[in-house]
Amino acid sequence: MEKLEVLHNNNKINARVRKNSIWKSIFFLSTLFGLVVLVVLITRVLFQGLSWIDMDFITGRLSTNADIAGIMGAILGTVWVMLVVIPVTLIIGVGSAIYLELYSKKGIIQSFIETNISNLAGVPSIVYGLLGLTVFVRLMDFGNVVLAGGLTLALLVLPILIVSAQEALRAVPGHLPEASYGMGATKWQTIRRIILPAAIPSILTGSILSLSRAIGETAPLTVLGIPALLIPFPNGIFDTFTALPMQIYYWTIDASLVAEYANLAAATIIVLLLILFILNSVAIFIRNKYQQRY
Amino acid sequence: MATNSESNLNSAVNVSELIAQNKKKKSINNYMEKLVPTILFLLASITVLTTIGILYTLISQAVHFFMEVPILDFFTGTELKPLSQNPEFGILPLLNGTIISSLVAILVAGPIGIMSAIYLSEYASDRVRRILKPLLEVLAGIPTIVYGFFAFTFVTPLIRSIWPQVEATNILSPGIVMGVMIIPMIASLSEDAMTSVPNGMREGSLAMGTTKLETTIKVVIPAAFSGIMASFVLAISRAIGETMIVTIASGSSKNFTFDLTQSMQTMTAYIVEVSGGEAPAGSTLHYSLYAVALTLFVFTMIMNLLAKYISRKFREEY
């Protein structure tokens, strides 16, 4: 009788243990699911677009003829937009972070601004497009030029940059500024000479990541009415432009008209992903190389 | 000696100058000490201006729309025919498309995301986690336009080869791809919530003779429940606001239907269509853009606040 019960119990335990290991495999496979999709996506894009990439494609002008179409205009457009986004987000973002972390007193104003920033981070990017269209393109009458696109994207990625810069400043250990104050330095001197230099690697990492977010954004640009075909190369911030994501967008939706456009879209995706990959590697490199332990 | 005394003499002469210089430096410093915080405050207030700008833009333009289309008709109308002779502006077809695509996305991302989170926080060794987690986060860094391309040129044809009734543009394929896009969000946030459950609770449960699975389901998940819920709500909000995947792959038919195989339009895709088209400024069509965007904004805002509320209100303190 007792022996039977032990046997019965053993069976029960074995069943529970087996259930555990079965579910463990299911959990593991779920984790792999996303990665499998990632691999399929990348091989698919490479397979479709890689043979279309050559120097002529990179340096060529846009064209409705798929055989000679190139993306130099879109690359230059992306570069010009970044030349607007980088200084604007860096100055506003790092400035705001310094104010919030080091100057503002804990209170209503600070918590109001911080709540506001975290809310802004959740606003859909297309709404920023409408803001840009109404304020920069129409109200300030820039037209759909580099400046309008750059400012719109800058506002879009600003919350991300502020939060990461705040974290970077917070990570600077307290004894550094204290030593500086002890030497008789003023607050701004301490920030400029001690705290900022110590935080710069992390700030750079955050900036590059938010920058790569701006490079990949499409929705706000479609709302701004950024064209994708047959415009001259941009030469400054008041020129009309197109950008890599816009090019992918137009070639994808027009692929039903001209089948080769799908391949051009894939080729452009490869270029875009390559740029993002390089930027991310740089960010990781900076983080690993300059990450100081105090 | 001579040079020394000379320099002494010189410095003695210059002391008053030095003091003056120092005073000047100090006053510049004092000036900077007051100026810098003011400038930085102005920079920080740009984010507040952005919010005001968004609200002002959406509301001031949407008001024009609601003067021409009654608010009740807008929210209860099942017909959206902005370009016809007698245009009708009911938002229900768009709400329908938005909600259905987000539901598909969360049905894909919810189970997979939470199971990934369980694996990463409960089962995976440190080494495996350090490899898998950043790889998973690559998914979140891929531009949505790339996902749109993938949905349209790969996932839709794949679905159609299995299920031929599915239209060339449909709501199912972008829903699934959006789900893939938000997997890392759910996985990462849920994993954070589960990792922050103290080990003592796990060990107590395991010491009672439970298996890891039982501990996870009966102890860890209930303890991390608020964090997991918050991650779901945030992910849904992200799906509601997502634009390029649905613009490319779900078409522009303003169908009011629940049939996943059909083409539907979401709020975001409508905004792209109308703003990219030839809506003359000042027309009802043009203003409808802002009414839809305002609805979208309110929707996502509510979801974001809800997520914050859930994770704050129901956070278990250990």
Side-chain angles (χ1 to χ4, degrees):
Chain A
M1 211 37 207
E2 224 168 67
K3 222 178 184 179
L4 258 178
E5 211 163 273
V6 169
L7 211 65
H8 180 67
N9 260 344
N10 270 343
N11 278 341
K12 246 174 142 179
I13 290 172
N14 282 339
R16 284 167 56 210
V17 170
R18 213 175 308 124
K19 199 170 158 196
N20 178 50
S21 55
I22 290 171
W23 274 98
K24 182 183 172 178
S25 327
I26 295 177
F27 293 148
F28 179 63
L29 291 177
S30 301
T31 315
L32 288 190
F33 174 81
L35 302 180
V36 169
V37 175
L38 184 65
V39 170
V40 171
L41 188 154
I42 289 176
T43 48
R44 164 88 190 168
V45 167
L46 284 178
F47 186 72
Q48 204 172 354
L50 204 53
S51 61
W52 286 73
I53 295 184
D54 51 25
M55 269 331 269
D56 289 341
F57 176 71
I58 302 288
T59 60
R61 284 173 181 275
L62 294 173
S63 168
T64 46
N65 180 352
D67 289 331
I68 59 166
I71 54 169
M72 197 62 210
I75 292 177
L76 287 175
T78 295
V79 170
W80 273 111
V81 167
M82 287 311 125
L83 287 180
V84 174
V85 173
I86 294 170
V88 172
T89 46
L90 268 187
I91 293 170
I92 302 177
V94 177
S96 309
I98 294 176
Y99 178 78
L100 290 173
E101 276 307 302
L102 302 168
Y103 278 107
S104 75
K105 296 177 187 72
K106 295 263 172 288
I108 300 173
I109 294 181
Q110 193 202 19
S111 74
F112 175 71
I113 296 181
E114 294 212 333
T115 315
N116 179 56
I117 290 172
S118 73
N119 281 339
L120 276 181
V123 173
S125 61
I126 193 155
V127 173
Y128 282 94
L130 277 174
L131 174 74
L133 175 74
T134 315
V135 174
F136 300 132
V137 177
R138 301 246 169 94
L139 205 65
M140 298 187 180
D141 208 16
F142 293 154
N144 47 10
V145 296
V146 170
L147 185 61
L151 289 178
T152 305
L153 292 178
L155 290 184
L156 171 66
V157 297
L158 197 53
I160 314 171
L161 182 61
I162 294 178
V163 172
S164 70
Q166 273 182 286
E167 270 164 24
L169 292 172
R170 216 173 296 147
V172 176
H175 61 250
L176 290 181
E178 270 163 29
S180 170
Y181 291 135
M183 300 292 284
T186 62
K187 185 156 190 175
W188 175 236
Q189 283 172 335
T190 305
I191 291 173
R192 195 160 50 95
R193 296 182 189 158
I194 307 293
I195 301 180
L196 262 187
I200 272 179
S202 311
I203 291 179
L204 263 182
T205 312
S207 317
I208 295 172
L209 292 181
S210 52
L211 192 71
S212 51
R213 171 85 196 280
I215 291 180
E217 271 296 338
T218 323
L221 298 183
T222 63
V223 176
L224 291 181
I226 303 304
L229 275 177
L230 308 178
I231 50 168
F233 289 169
N235 281 317
I237 57 171
F238 293 107
D239 287 350
T240 48
F241 72 107
T242 189
L244 288 168
M246 286 308 290
Q247 211 49 59
I248 298 168
Y249 172 55
Y250 277 103
W251 273 332
T252 305
I253 55 174
D254 284 344
S256 48
L257 308 175
V258 182
E260 281 86 24
Y261 282 179
N263 303 331
L264 289 177
T268 316
I269 287 175
I270 296 174
V271 174
L272 179 65
L273 287 182
L274 200 65
I275 294 174
L276 297 182
F277 175 74
I278 292 171
L279 282 175
N280 277 288
S281 312
V282 171
I284 292 170
F285 175 78
I286 293 176
R287 184 159 62 201
N288 291 345
K289 169 132 187 169
Y290 295 100
Q291 198 171 44
Q292 287 186 27
R293 296 189 189 283
Y294 295 97
Chain B
M1 269 316 264
T3 49
N4 205 355
S5 64
E6 206 174 19
S7 76
N8 273 343
L9 200 71
N10 265 343
S11 58
V13 169
N14 284 343
V15 162
S16 58
E17 249 173 63
L18 280 176
I19 291 175
Q21 253 176 24
N22 248 347
K23 264 191 178 160
K24 209 172 160 194
K25 234 188 199 169
K26 262 206 174 133
S27 76
I28 289 174
N29 274 342
N30 280 339
Y31 185 62
M32 286 296 281
E33 287 307 310
K34 286 193 181 111
L35 184 68
V36 167
T38 318
I39 294 175
L40 294 179
F41 173 73
L42 290 178
L43 288 177
S45 54
I46 288 178
T47 56
V48 179
L49 279 181
T50 309
T51 307
I52 296 173
I54 289 174
L55 285 174
Y56 175 77
T57 301
L58 296 184
I59 294 173
S60 70
Q61 308 284 307
V63 161
H64 290 289
F65 176 79
F66 288 121
M67 287 198 307
E68 283 163 51
V69 179
I71 210 161
L72 201 67
D73 292 2
F74 179 64
F75 282 110
T76 57
T78 56
E79 295 283 339
L80 181 60
K81 293 179 191 151
L83 291 174
S84 76
Q85 280 292 318
N86 299 310
E88 289 194 55
F89 290 97
I91 201 181
L92 284 184
L94 298 182
L95 273 183
N96 178 58
T98 304
I99 291 170
I100 289 184
S101 60
S102 306
L103 272 183
V104 173
I106 202 70
L107 282 178
V108 171
I112 293 176
I114 194 169
M115 288 199 285
S116 310
I118 292 175
Y119 183 77
L120 290 173
S121 90
E122 304 300 312
Y123 286 93
S125 66
D126 263 357
R127 212 169 64 95
V128 173
R129 179 173 37 235
R130 263 203 296 272
I131 298 168
L132 283 183
K133 212 179 165 184
L135 275 179
L136 209 56
E137 270 155 14
V138 172
L139 276 178
I142 289 184
T144 56
I145 183 76
V146 177
Y147 280 118
F149 174 83
F150 184 66
F152 190 56
T153 64
F154 182 72
V155 178
T156 300
L158 189 72
I159 293 175
R160 291 182 84 189
S161 67
I162 304 167
W163 189 6
Q165 296 100 300
V166 175
E167 290 175 26
T169 53
N170 60 78
I171 206 75
L172 182 61
S173 147
I176 293 173
V177 174
M178 269 200 311
V180 173
M181 180 189 82
I182 55 178
I183 285 175
M185 194 172 185
I186 294 185
S188 171
L189 291 175
S190 299
E191 197 224 326
D192 288 346
M194 288 162 72
T195 321
S196 64
V197 173
N199 252 335
M201 290 177 69
R202 278 190 199 89
E203 282 154 8
S205 163
L206 290 170
M208 302 293 284
T210 63
T211 63
K212 224 168 194 173
L213 178 70
E214 288 156 351
T215 301
T216 304
I217 289 174
K218 294 191 176 142
V219 177
V220 178
I221 289 184
F225 192 70
S226 63
I228 295 170
M229 282 317 289
S231 81
F232 271 54
V233 176
L234 272 183
I236 295 175
S237 163
R238 181 78 196 280
I240 290 175
E242 203 294 316
T243 310
M244 294 326 288
I245 305 176
V246 281
T247 302
I248 291 178
S250 72
S252 58
S253 320
K254 290 133 183 82
N255 284 333
F256 185 58
T257 164
F258 301 103
D259 184 355
L260 292 179
T261 64
Q262 286 197 27
S263 165
M264 283 178 221
Q265 197 168 42
T266 63
M267 291 190 274
T268 51
Y270 177 81
I271 296 172
V272 170
E273 190 199 354
V274 172
S275 62
E278 51 282 352
S283 64
T284 314
L285 177 62
H286 173 74
Y287 290 133
S288 76
L289 203 66
Y290 294 89
V292 172
L294 186 60
T295 315
L296 172 72
F297 179 78
V298 170
F299 251 66
T300 50
M301 189 60 94
I302 290 173
M303 300 298 272
N304 293 336
L305 292 176
L306 187 66
K308 206 173 283 170
Y309 174 78
I310 293 174
S311 63
R312 204 177 289 157
K313 174 95 180 174
F314 298 103
R315 171 165 297 149
E316 315 252 347
E317 300 284 351
Y318 302 105

